Amino acid sequence: ETGVTQSPTHLIKTRGQQVTLRCSSQSGHNTVSWYQQALGQGPQFIFQYYREEENGRGNFPPRFSGLQFPNYSSELNVNALELDDSALYLCASSFSGTGTFYTFGSGTRLTVV
Amino acid sequence: GNSVTQMEGPVTLSEEAFLTINCTYTATGYPSLFWYVQYPGEGLQLLLKATKADDKGSNKGFEATYRKETTSFHLEKGSVQVSDSAVYFCALSEGNYGQNFVFGPGTRLSVLP
């Protein structure tokens, strides 16, 4: 049974550019959540996808968008990158869609310069 | 909105010392409570959880009790090891289905041999 896989592991982008981060959920999981973890802080909820539909969203602007595919993998897209978007982006998957049985990936470290 | 507060770190202890990391929360209703651990370069791992008042979560020698009257979920371990060095996050679940987490800022623990 594989865990949650995120790619790439590290990324450097220039302010104003767009970025796509990818997440392969754990086998059998149908729910994916994305979190942003700034340096020295706790993760903050961006949004969740359940069976390809957005199932909740945190306090992030519309330039943060996502997709979930039929195989339950997911993408996080961020447009018009800002310096403050520099963070570790964590993906977590679950089967039940509740906050009990999530498996987290190791994250993508995004640096915006 | 809901929030989680943790004691400031870093916490430095000698091996076999007693550990307490304080966590208090503010929430509407009765959320589930969690402790997650993050080792260097890795994602979050669920350490323990409690879903209702007076529940005690335990794992790997760590314990925490859901105290509704004091809105607290303090993490304790009787004898820490060097391998326990990590960042510890207290969290609660929110949303209509408890589908997302609100994390505290994290407490870095260093255990010296």
Side-chain angles (χ1 to χ4, degrees), chain A residues 41-107:
Chain A
Q41 297 182 24
Q44 289 194 302
F45 176 67
I46 303 175
F47 44 56
Q48 181 185 84
Y49 280 84
Y50 173 62
R51 293 186 174 179
E52 303 178 59
E53 298 283 335
E54 189 176 287
N55 186 40
R57 188 179 182 93
N59 189 26
F60 281 80
R63 60 189 184 83
F64 286 78
S65 62
L67 281 175
Q68 187 180 32
F69 300 100
N71 66 354
Y72 303 123
S73 65
S74 177
E75 286 183 355
L76 164 65
N77 299 289
V78 187
N79 293 321
L81 284 167
E82 301 176 359
L83 297 179
D84 285 349
D85 295 333
S86 295
L88 180 68
Y89 288 85
L90 295 168
C91 171
S93 74
S94 169
F95 173 74
S96 65
T98 67
T100 305
F101 301 110
Y102 279 98
T103 301
F104 280 82
S106 299

Short mmCIF file of all heavy atoms in Angstrom, two decimals, chain A residues 41-107:
data_model
loop_
_atom_site.label_atom_id
_atom_site.label_comp_id
_atom_site.label_asym_id
_atom_site.label_seq_id
_atom_site.Cartn_x
_atom_site.Cartn_y
_atom_site.Cartn_z
N GLN A 41 5.41 27.85 11.22
CA GLN A 41 3.99 27.95 11.56
C GLN A 41 3.29 26.61 11.35
O GLN A 41 3.84 25.69 10.74
CB GLN A 41 3.31 29.02 10.71
CG GLN A 41 3.86 30.41 10.95
CD GLN A 41 3.13 31.45 10.13
OE1 GLN A 41 1.97 31.26 9.74
NE2 GLN A 41 3.78 32.56 9.87
N GLY A 42 2.07 26.52 11.85
CA GLY A 42 1.26 25.34 11.61
C GLY A 42 0.62 25.39 10.24
O GLY A 42 0.45 26.47 9.66
N PRO A 43 0.27 24.24 9.69
CA PRO A 43 -0.40 24.21 8.38
C PRO A 43 -1.75 24.92 8.43
O PRO A 43 -2.45 24.89 9.44
CB PRO A 43 -0.58 22.71 8.13
CG PRO A 43 0.41 22.03 9.01
CD PRO A 43 0.53 22.89 10.22
N GLN A 44 -2.08 25.56 7.30
CA GLN A 44 -3.38 26.21 7.16
C GLN A 44 -4.15 25.56 6.02
O GLN A 44 -3.59 25.35 4.93
CB GLN A 44 -3.20 27.71 6.87
CG GLN A 44 -2.70 28.50 8.07
CD GLN A 44 -2.87 29.99 7.86
OE1 GLN A 44 -2.34 30.54 6.90
NE2 GLN A 44 -3.62 30.63 8.71
N PHE A 45 -5.41 25.31 6.25
CA PHE A 45 -6.28 24.61 5.29
C PHE A 45 -6.54 25.49 4.08
O PHE A 45 -7.00 26.63 4.22
CB PHE A 45 -7.59 24.24 5.99
CG PHE A 45 -8.62 23.61 5.11
CD1 PHE A 45 -8.43 22.36 4.56
CD2 PHE A 45 -9.82 24.27 4.85
CE1 PHE A 45 -9.40 21.77 3.77
CE2 PHE A 45 -10.81 23.68 4.07
CZ PHE A 45 -10.58 22.43 3.52
N ILE A 46 -6.28 24.93 2.88
CA ILE A 46 -6.56 25.66 1.64
C ILE A 46 -7.92 25.23 1.10
O ILE A 46 -8.83 26.04 0.97
CB ILE A 46 -5.47 25.42 0.58
CG1 ILE A 46 -4.10 25.83 1.13
CG2 ILE A 46 -5.79 26.22 -0.70
CD1 ILE A 46 -2.94 25.51 0.19
N PHE A 47 -8.05 23.95 0.75
CA PHE A 47 -9.33 23.39 0.32
C PHE A 47 -9.26 21.88 0.32
O PHE A 47 -8.20 21.28 0.52
CB PHE A 47 -9.78 23.88 -1.07
CG PHE A 47 -8.71 23.93 -2.12
CD1 PHE A 47 -7.97 22.81 -2.47
CD2 PHE A 47 -8.45 25.11 -2.79
CE1 PHE A 47 -7.00 22.86 -3.45
CE2 PHE A 47 -7.48 25.19 -3.77
CZ PHE A 47 -6.76 24.05 -4.09
N GLN A 48 -10.44 21.28 0.11
CA GLN A 48 -10.57 19.83 0.08
C GLN A 48 -11.39 19.41 -1.14
O GLN A 48 -12.34 20.11 -1.53
CB GLN A 48 -11.24 19.30 1.34
CG GLN A 48 -11.39 17.78 1.37
CD GLN A 48 -12.17 17.30 2.57
OE1 GLN A 48 -13.40 17.28 2.56
NE2 GLN A 48 -11.45 16.91 3.61
N TYR A 49 -11.05 18.28 -1.71
CA TYR A 49 -11.82 17.70 -2.80
C TYR A 49 -12.28 16.31 -2.41
O TYR A 49 -11.51 15.50 -1.88
CB TYR A 49 -10.98 17.64 -4.09
CG TYR A 49 -10.93 18.96 -4.80
CD1 TYR A 49 -10.02 19.93 -4.42
CD2 TYR A 49 -11.84 19.27 -5.80
CE1 TYR A 49 -9.99 21.17 -5.04
CE2 TYR A 49 -11.82 20.50 -6.43
CZ TYR A 49 -10.89 21.44 -6.04
OH TYR A 49 -10.88 22.67 -6.64
N TYR A 50 -13.56 16.08 -2.66
CA TYR A 50 -14.17 14.79 -2.37
C TYR A 50 -14.89 14.33 -3.63
O TYR A 50 -15.80 15.02 -4.09
CB TYR A 50 -15.13 14.92 -1.19
CG TYR A 50 -15.95 13.69 -0.89
CD1 TYR A 50 -15.33 12.49 -0.53
CD2 TYR A 50 -17.34 13.72 -0.94
CE1 TYR A 50 -16.09 11.37 -0.23
CE2 TYR A 50 -18.09 12.60 -0.64
CZ TYR A 50 -17.46 11.43 -0.28
OH TYR A 50 -18.19 10.31 0.02
N ARG A 51 -14.47 13.21 -4.16
CA ARG A 51 -15.07 12.68 -5.39
C ARG A 51 -15.15 13.74 -6.47
O ARG A 51 -16.20 13.96 -7.08
CB ARG A 51 -16.44 12.09 -5.08
CG ARG A 51 -16.36 10.85 -4.20
CD ARG A 51 -17.71 10.19 -4.02
NE ARG A 51 -17.59 8.93 -3.30
CZ ARG A 51 -18.61 8.15 -2.99
NH1 ARG A 51 -19.83 8.48 -3.35
NH2 ARG A 51 -18.41 7.03 -2.32
N GLU A 52 -14.04 14.43 -6.68
CA GLU A 52 -13.82 15.41 -7.75
C GLU A 52 -14.54 16.74 -7.55
O GLU A 52 -14.49 17.61 -8.43
CB GLU A 52 -14.19 14.82 -9.12
CG GLU A 52 -13.44 13.53 -9.44
CD GLU A 52 -13.85 12.94 -10.77
OE1 GLU A 52 -13.71 13.64 -11.80
OE2 GLU A 52 -14.32 11.77 -10.79
N GLU A 53 -15.21 16.95 -6.41
CA GLU A 53 -15.89 18.21 -6.14
C GLU A 53 -15.23 18.91 -4.95
O GLU A 53 -14.83 18.25 -3.98
CB GLU A 53 -17.37 17.98 -5.82
CG GLU A 53 -18.17 17.33 -6.93
CD GLU A 53 -18.53 18.32 -8.02
OE1 GLU A 53 -18.58 19.53 -7.74
OE2 GLU A 53 -18.74 17.88 -9.17
N GLU A 54 -15.16 20.24 -5.00
CA GLU A 54 -14.63 20.98 -3.86
C GLU A 54 -15.60 20.82 -2.69
O GLU A 54 -16.80 21.06 -2.82
CB GLU A 54 -14.44 22.46 -4.20
CG GLU A 54 -13.68 23.22 -3.10
CD GLU A 54 -13.39 24.66 -3.46
OE1 GLU A 54 -12.53 24.91 -4.32
OE2 GLU A 54 -14.06 25.55 -2.88
N ASN A 55 -15.04 20.48 -1.53
CA ASN A 55 -15.85 20.11 -0.37
C ASN A 55 -15.54 20.99 0.83
O ASN A 55 -15.76 20.59 1.96
CB ASN A 55 -15.58 18.64 -0.04
CG ASN A 55 -16.48 18.11 1.05
OD1 ASN A 55 -17.66 18.42 1.09
ND2 ASN A 55 -15.91 17.35 1.98
N GLY A 56 -15.04 22.17 0.59
CA GLY A 56 -14.68 23.06 1.69
C GLY A 56 -13.46 23.85 1.29
O GLY A 56 -12.60 23.36 0.55
N ARG A 57 -13.40 25.09 1.76
CA ARG A 57 -12.31 25.97 1.38
C ARG A 57 -11.96 26.84 2.56
O ARG A 57 -12.84 27.32 3.29
CB ARG A 57 -12.72 26.85 0.20
CG ARG A 57 -11.59 27.67 -0.39
CD ARG A 57 -12.05 28.50 -1.57
NE ARG A 57 -10.93 29.23 -2.13
CZ ARG A 57 -10.18 28.78 -3.14
NH1 ARG A 57 -10.45 27.63 -3.72
NH2 ARG A 57 -9.16 29.50 -3.59
N GLY A 58 -10.68 27.06 2.76
CA GLY A 58 -10.20 27.95 3.81
C GLY A 58 -10.12 29.38 3.31
O GLY A 58 -10.62 29.72 2.23
N ASN A 59 -9.46 30.21 4.06
CA ASN A 59 -9.40 31.64 3.76
C ASN A 59 -8.24 31.95 2.81
O ASN A 59 -7.28 32.62 3.16
CB ASN A 59 -9.25 32.43 5.07
CG ASN A 59 -9.39 33.91 4.86
OD1 ASN A 59 -10.04 34.35 3.92
ND2 ASN A 59 -8.75 34.68 5.72
N PHE A 60 -8.35 31.45 1.60
CA PHE A 60 -7.34 31.69 0.57
C PHE A 60 -8.01 32.34 -0.64
O PHE A 60 -9.15 32.01 -0.96
CB PHE A 60 -6.65 30.38 0.17
CG PHE A 60 -5.59 29.94 1.14
CD1 PHE A 60 -5.93 29.29 2.31
CD2 PHE A 60 -4.26 30.20 0.89
CE1 PHE A 60 -4.95 28.91 3.23
CE2 PHE A 60 -3.27 29.83 1.78
CZ PHE A 60 -3.63 29.18 2.96
N PRO A 61 -7.29 33.23 -1.35
CA PRO A 61 -7.89 33.93 -2.48
C PRO A 61 -8.13 32.99 -3.66
O PRO A 61 -7.56 31.88 -3.72
CB PRO A 61 -6.84 34.99 -2.82
CG PRO A 61 -5.56 34.44 -2.30
CD PRO A 61 -5.91 33.66 -1.08
N PRO A 62 -8.95 33.42 -4.62
CA PRO A 62 -9.30 32.58 -5.78
C PRO A 62 -8.11 32.18 -6.65
O PRO A 62 -8.22 31.23 -7.43
CB PRO A 62 -10.28 33.46 -6.56
CG PRO A 62 -10.82 34.41 -5.57
CD PRO A 62 -9.71 34.67 -4.60
N ARG A 63 -6.98 32.89 -6.53
CA ARG A 63 -5.83 32.48 -7.35
C ARG A 63 -5.25 31.13 -6.90
O ARG A 63 -4.40 30.56 -7.59
CB ARG A 63 -4.75 33.58 -7.34
CG ARG A 63 -4.19 33.93 -6.00
CD ARG A 63 -3.30 35.18 -6.07
NE ARG A 63 -2.69 35.43 -4.78
CZ ARG A 63 -1.59 34.82 -4.38
NH1 ARG A 63 -0.99 33.98 -5.20
NH2 ARG A 63 -1.09 35.08 -3.19
N PHE A 64 -5.73 30.64 -5.76
CA PHE A 64 -5.45 29.26 -5.35
C PHE A 64 -6.62 28.41 -5.84
O PHE A 64 -7.77 28.61 -5.41
CB PHE A 64 -5.34 29.14 -3.83
CG PHE A 64 -4.07 29.69 -3.26
CD1 PHE A 64 -3.90 31.05 -3.10
CD2 PHE A 64 -3.04 28.84 -2.87
CE1 PHE A 64 -2.72 31.57 -2.56
CE2 PHE A 64 -1.86 29.34 -2.33
CZ PHE A 64 -1.70 30.71 -2.18
N SER A 65 -6.35 27.49 -6.74
CA SER A 65 -7.41 26.64 -7.27
C SER A 65 -6.93 25.20 -7.31
O SER A 65 -5.72 24.92 -7.22
CB SER A 65 -7.83 27.10 -8.67
OG SER A 65 -6.74 26.99 -9.57
N GLY A 66 -7.88 24.29 -7.48
CA GLY A 66 -7.50 22.89 -7.46
C GLY A 66 -8.34 22.05 -8.38
O GLY A 66 -9.33 22.50 -8.97
N LEU A 67 -7.89 20.81 -8.50
CA LEU A 67 -8.61 19.82 -9.29
C LEU A 67 -8.43 18.47 -8.62
O LEU A 67 -7.39 18.21 -8.01
CB LEU A 67 -8.03 19.71 -10.70
CG LEU A 67 -8.39 20.75 -11.75
CD1 LEU A 67 -7.56 20.48 -13.01
CD2 LEU A 67 -9.88 20.70 -12.06
N GLN A 68 -9.44 17.63 -8.78
CA GLN A 68 -9.25 16.23 -8.42
C GLN A 68 -9.66 15.40 -9.62
O GLN A 68 -10.68 15.67 -10.27
CB GLN A 68 -10.08 15.83 -7.20
CG GLN A 68 -9.76 14.43 -6.71
CD GLN A 68 -10.56 14.01 -5.49
OE1 GLN A 68 -11.70 14.44 -5.32
NE2 GLN A 68 -9.99 13.19 -4.63
N PHE A 69 -8.90 14.39 -9.93
CA PHE A 69 -9.11 13.58 -11.11
C PHE A 69 -9.85 12.29 -10.77
O PHE A 69 -9.95 11.92 -9.59
CB PHE A 69 -7.75 13.28 -11.78
CG PHE A 69 -7.03 14.53 -12.20
CD1 PHE A 69 -6.02 15.06 -11.41
CD2 PHE A 69 -7.38 15.21 -13.36
CE1 PHE A 69 -5.37 16.23 -11.78
CE2 PHE A 69 -6.74 16.37 -13.74
CZ PHE A 69 -5.74 16.88 -12.94
N PRO A 70 -10.37 11.59 -11.80
CA PRO A 70 -11.13 10.36 -11.52
C PRO A 70 -10.35 9.32 -10.73
O PRO A 70 -10.95 8.50 -10.03
CB PRO A 70 -11.48 9.85 -12.93
CG PRO A 70 -11.54 11.08 -13.76
CD PRO A 70 -10.47 11.99 -13.21
N ASN A 71 -9.02 9.33 -10.82
CA ASN A 71 -8.24 8.38 -10.01
C ASN A 71 -7.93 8.94 -8.63
O ASN A 71 -7.15 8.36 -7.89
CB ASN A 71 -6.94 8.01 -10.73
CG ASN A 71 -5.99 9.19 -10.85
OD1 ASN A 71 -6.33 10.33 -10.50
ND2 ASN A 71 -4.80 8.93 -11.37
N TYR A 72 -8.56 10.08 -8.29
CA TYR A 72 -8.47 10.75 -6.99
C TYR A 72 -7.16 11.46 -6.74
O TYR A 72 -6.97 12.01 -5.66
CB TYR A 72 -8.80 9.80 -5.84
CG TYR A 72 -10.16 9.17 -5.97
CD1 TYR A 72 -10.32 7.79 -6.00
CD2 TYR A 72 -11.29 9.97 -6.11
CE1 TYR A 72 -11.57 7.22 -6.15
CE2 TYR A 72 -12.55 9.41 -6.26
CZ TYR A 72 -12.68 8.03 -6.28
OH TYR A 72 -13.91 7.47 -6.44
N SER A 73 -6.26 11.48 -7.73
CA SER A 73 -5.10 12.34 -7.59
C SER A 73 -5.56 13.79 -7.70
O SER A 73 -6.71 14.07 -8.10
CB SER A 73 -4.05 12.02 -8.65
OG SER A 73 -4.55 12.32 -9.94
N SER A 74 -4.67 14.72 -7.35
CA SER A 74 -5.10 16.11 -7.27
C SER A 74 -4.00 17.06 -7.68
O SER A 74 -2.81 16.71 -7.65
CB SER A 74 -5.54 16.42 -5.83
OG SER A 74 -5.91 17.77 -5.67
N GLU A 75 -4.40 18.25 -8.08
CA GLU A 75 -3.47 19.34 -8.38
C GLU A 75 -3.86 20.57 -7.59
O GLU A 75 -5.06 20.82 -7.36
CB GLU A 75 -3.52 19.71 -9.86
CG GLU A 75 -2.85 18.72 -10.78
CD GLU A 75 -2.89 19.19 -12.23
OE1 GLU A 75 -3.52 20.23 -12.53
OE2 GLU A 75 -2.28 18.50 -13.07
N LEU A 76 -2.84 21.32 -7.19
CA LEU A 76 -3.04 22.64 -6.62
C LEU A 76 -2.38 23.63 -7.57
O LEU A 76 -1.21 23.48 -7.90
CB LEU A 76 -2.39 22.72 -5.24
CG LEU A 76 -2.17 24.11 -4.65
CD1 LEU A 76 -3.49 24.81 -4.38
CD2 LEU A 76 -1.36 24.03 -3.34
N ASN A 77 -3.14 24.61 -8.02
CA ASN A 77 -2.62 25.64 -8.91
C ASN A 77 -2.63 26.98 -8.18
O ASN A 77 -3.61 27.33 -7.52
CB ASN A 77 -3.50 25.75 -10.16
CG ASN A 77 -3.50 24.46 -10.96
OD1 ASN A 77 -2.50 24.10 -11.57
ND2 ASN A 77 -4.61 23.76 -10.94
N VAL A 78 -1.54 27.70 -8.32
CA VAL A 78 -1.47 29.04 -7.76
C VAL A 78 -1.04 29.99 -8.86
O VAL A 78 0.01 29.81 -9.48
CB VAL A 78 -0.48 29.12 -6.58
CG1 VAL A 78 -0.56 30.50 -5.92
CG2 VAL A 78 -0.73 28.02 -5.57
N ASN A 79 -1.89 30.98 -9.13
CA ASN A 79 -1.60 31.99 -10.15
C ASN A 79 -1.01 33.25 -9.51
O ASN A 79 -1.17 33.48 -8.30
CB ASN A 79 -2.89 32.38 -10.89
CG ASN A 79 -3.42 31.23 -11.70
OD1 ASN A 79 -2.67 30.48 -12.31
ND2 ASN A 79 -4.74 31.07 -11.70
N ALA A 80 -0.35 34.05 -10.32
CA ALA A 80 0.17 35.35 -9.88
C ALA A 80 0.91 35.22 -8.55
O ALA A 80 0.55 35.85 -7.55
CB ALA A 80 -0.97 36.36 -9.79
N LEU A 81 1.92 34.39 -8.52
CA LEU A 81 2.64 34.10 -7.29
C LEU A 81 3.15 35.36 -6.59
O LEU A 81 3.65 36.29 -7.24
CB LEU A 81 3.81 33.16 -7.57
CG LEU A 81 3.43 31.69 -7.79
CD1 LEU A 81 4.61 30.93 -8.38
CD2 LEU A 81 2.96 31.06 -6.50
N GLU A 82 3.03 35.34 -5.27
CA GLU A 82 3.55 36.41 -4.43
C GLU A 82 4.64 35.84 -3.52
O GLU A 82 4.69 34.64 -3.27
CB GLU A 82 2.42 37.01 -3.60
CG GLU A 82 1.28 37.56 -4.43
CD GLU A 82 0.13 38.08 -3.59
OE1 GLU A 82 0.20 37.98 -2.35
OE2 GLU A 82 -0.86 38.58 -4.19
N LEU A 83 5.48 36.73 -3.01
CA LEU A 83 6.57 36.28 -2.14
C LEU A 83 6.04 35.50 -0.94
O LEU A 83 6.64 34.51 -0.50
CB LEU A 83 7.42 37.46 -1.68
CG LEU A 83 8.14 38.24 -2.76
CD1 LEU A 83 8.93 39.41 -2.16
CD2 LEU A 83 9.06 37.36 -3.57
N ASP A 84 4.89 35.93 -0.41
CA ASP A 84 4.30 35.28 0.77
C ASP A 84 3.76 33.88 0.48
O ASP A 84 3.35 33.18 1.41
CB ASP A 84 3.18 36.14 1.35
CG ASP A 84 3.71 37.34 2.10
OD1 ASP A 84 4.94 37.37 2.35
OD2 ASP A 84 2.92 38.24 2.44
N ASP A 85 3.73 33.51 -0.79
CA ASP A 85 3.29 32.15 -1.13
C ASP A 85 4.40 31.14 -0.87
O ASP A 85 4.17 29.92 -0.96
CB ASP A 85 2.86 32.07 -2.59
CG ASP A 85 1.64 32.92 -2.89
OD1 ASP A 85 0.83 33.16 -1.96
OD2 ASP A 85 1.49 33.35 -4.05
N SER A 86 5.58 31.60 -0.57
CA SER A 86 6.69 30.69 -0.24
C SER A 86 6.32 29.90 1.01
O SER A 86 6.04 30.49 2.07
CB SER A 86 7.97 31.49 0.01
OG SER A 86 8.40 32.14 -1.14
N ALA A 87 6.30 28.58 0.88
CA ALA A 87 5.84 27.73 1.99
C ALA A 87 6.02 26.27 1.60
O ALA A 87 6.36 25.94 0.46
CB ALA A 87 4.37 28.00 2.31
N LEU A 88 5.75 25.40 2.57
CA LEU A 88 5.63 23.96 2.32
C LEU A 88 4.16 23.67 2.07
O LEU A 88 3.30 24.04 2.88
CB LEU A 88 6.14 23.18 3.53
CG LEU A 88 6.08 21.65 3.43
CD1 LEU A 88 7.07 21.14 2.39
CD2 LEU A 88 6.38 21.03 4.79
N TYR A 89 3.85 23.05 0.95
CA TYR A 89 2.47 22.72 0.62
C TYR A 89 2.27 21.23 0.85
O TYR A 89 2.94 20.39 0.24
CB TYR A 89 2.15 23.12 -0.82
CG TYR A 89 2.05 24.61 -0.95
CD1 TYR A 89 3.18 25.39 -1.15
CD2 TYR A 89 0.82 25.26 -0.82
CE1 TYR A 89 3.10 26.77 -1.22
CE2 TYR A 89 0.73 26.64 -0.89
CZ TYR A 89 1.87 27.38 -1.08
OH TYR A 89 1.79 28.76 -1.14
N LEU A 90 1.33 20.93 1.73
CA LEU A 90 1.07 19.56 2.14
C LEU A 90 -0.24 19.07 1.56
O LEU A 90 -1.24 19.79 1.56
CB LEU A 90 1.01 19.45 3.67
CG LEU A 90 2.30 19.75 4.42
CD1 LEU A 90 2.03 19.91 5.91
CD2 LEU A 90 3.32 18.66 4.18
N CYS A 91 -0.22 17.85 1.08
CA CYS A 91 -1.41 17.18 0.59
C CYS A 91 -1.73 16.06 1.58
O CYS A 91 -0.82 15.41 2.11
CB CYS A 91 -1.14 16.61 -0.80
SG CYS A 91 -2.40 15.52 -1.45
N ALA A 92 -3.01 15.85 1.84
CA ALA A 92 -3.44 14.78 2.73
C ALA A 92 -4.63 14.05 2.11
O ALA A 92 -5.52 14.70 1.56
CB ALA A 92 -3.83 15.33 4.10
N SER A 93 -4.64 12.74 2.20
CA SER A 93 -5.77 12.00 1.63
C SER A 93 -6.44 11.16 2.69
O SER A 93 -5.85 10.82 3.73
CB SER A 93 -5.30 11.12 0.46
OG SER A 93 -4.57 9.99 0.90
N SER A 94 -7.70 10.84 2.40
CA SER A 94 -8.52 10.06 3.32
C SER A 94 -9.58 9.32 2.54
O SER A 94 -9.92 9.71 1.42
CB SER A 94 -9.18 11.00 4.33
OG SER A 94 -10.16 10.33 5.08
N PHE A 95 -10.13 8.27 3.15
CA PHE A 95 -11.27 7.61 2.51
C PHE A 95 -12.58 8.19 3.01
O PHE A 95 -13.50 8.41 2.27
CB PHE A 95 -11.24 6.11 2.78
CG PHE A 95 -12.48 5.42 2.28
CD1 PHE A 95 -12.66 5.22 0.92
CD2 PHE A 95 -13.49 5.01 3.14
CE1 PHE A 95 -13.81 4.62 0.43
CE2 PHE A 95 -14.63 4.40 2.66
CZ PHE A 95 -14.79 4.20 1.31
N SER A 96 -12.65 8.47 4.28
CA SER A 96 -13.95 8.79 4.86
C SER A 96 -14.37 10.23 4.63
O SER A 96 -15.53 10.55 4.73
CB SER A 96 -13.91 8.54 6.37
OG SER A 96 -12.98 9.43 6.96
N GLY A 97 -13.40 11.14 4.36
CA GLY A 97 -13.74 12.55 4.21
C GLY A 97 -13.90 13.25 5.53
O GLY A 97 -14.29 14.40 5.57
N THR A 98 -13.59 12.60 6.63
CA THR A 98 -13.65 13.24 7.94
C THR A 98 -12.23 13.45 8.47
O THR A 98 -11.27 12.93 7.93
CB THR A 98 -14.42 12.38 8.96
OG1 THR A 98 -13.67 11.19 9.20
CG2 THR A 98 -15.78 12.01 8.41
N GLY A 99 -12.14 14.23 9.51
CA GLY A 99 -10.82 14.60 10.03
C GLY A 99 -10.20 13.57 10.93
O GLY A 99 -9.61 13.93 11.94
N THR A 100 -10.29 12.31 10.61
CA THR A 100 -9.80 11.28 11.51
C THR A 100 -8.70 10.43 10.91
O THR A 100 -7.75 10.08 11.59
CB THR A 100 -10.96 10.37 11.95
OG1 THR A 100 -11.99 11.17 12.50
CG2 THR A 100 -10.50 9.36 12.97
N PHE A 101 -8.81 10.09 9.65
CA PHE A 101 -7.92 9.09 9.09
C PHE A 101 -7.09 9.62 7.93
O PHE A 101 -6.89 8.96 6.94
CB PHE A 101 -8.71 7.88 8.63
CG PHE A 101 -9.49 7.23 9.74
CD1 PHE A 101 -10.87 7.31 9.77
CD2 PHE A 101 -8.84 6.58 10.75
CE1 PHE A 101 -11.59 6.73 10.79
CE2 PHE A 101 -9.55 6.00 11.79
CZ PHE A 101 -10.93 6.07 11.81
N TYR A 102 -6.60 10.85 8.03
CA TYR A 102 -5.82 11.44 6.96
C TYR A 102 -4.39 10.94 6.97
O TYR A 102 -3.78 10.77 8.02
CB TYR A 102 -5.83 12.96 7.06
CG TYR A 102 -7.07 13.57 6.49
CD1 TYR A 102 -8.13 13.95 7.31
CD2 TYR A 102 -7.20 13.76 5.12
CE1 TYR A 102 -9.28 14.50 6.77
CE2 TYR A 102 -8.35 14.31 4.58
CZ TYR A 102 -9.38 14.68 5.40
OH TYR A 102 -10.51 15.21 4.87
N THR A 103 -3.85 10.75 5.77
CA THR A 103 -2.43 10.46 5.58
C THR A 103 -1.82 11.64 4.84
O THR A 103 -2.30 12.02 3.78
CB THR A 103 -2.24 9.19 4.73
OG1 THR A 103 -2.87 8.08 5.38
CG2 THR A 103 -0.75 8.89 4.56
N PHE A 104 -0.77 12.20 5.42
CA PHE A 104 -0.12 13.36 4.82
C PHE A 104 1.08 12.94 3.98
O PHE A 104 1.81 12.00 4.31
CB PHE A 104 0.38 14.32 5.91
CG PHE A 104 -0.69 15.20 6.49
CD1 PHE A 104 -1.54 14.74 7.48
CD2 PHE A 104 -0.84 16.50 6.03
CE1 PHE A 104 -2.53 15.55 8.01
CE2 PHE A 104 -1.83 17.33 6.55
CZ PHE A 104 -2.67 16.85 7.54
N GLY A 105 1.28 13.69 2.89
CA GLY A 105 2.50 13.56 2.12
C GLY A 105 3.62 14.36 2.75
O GLY A 105 3.41 15.07 3.74
N SER A 106 4.81 14.26 2.14
CA SER A 106 5.98 14.97 2.68
C SER A 106 6.04 16.41 2.23
O SER A 106 6.87 17.17 2.74
CB SER A 106 7.26 14.25 2.28
OG SER A 106 7.28 12.95 2.81
N GLY A 107 5.21 16.78 1.27
CA GLY A 107 5.10 18.17 0.91
C GLY A 107 5.96 18.60 -0.27
O GLY A 107 6.90 17.91 -0.68
#
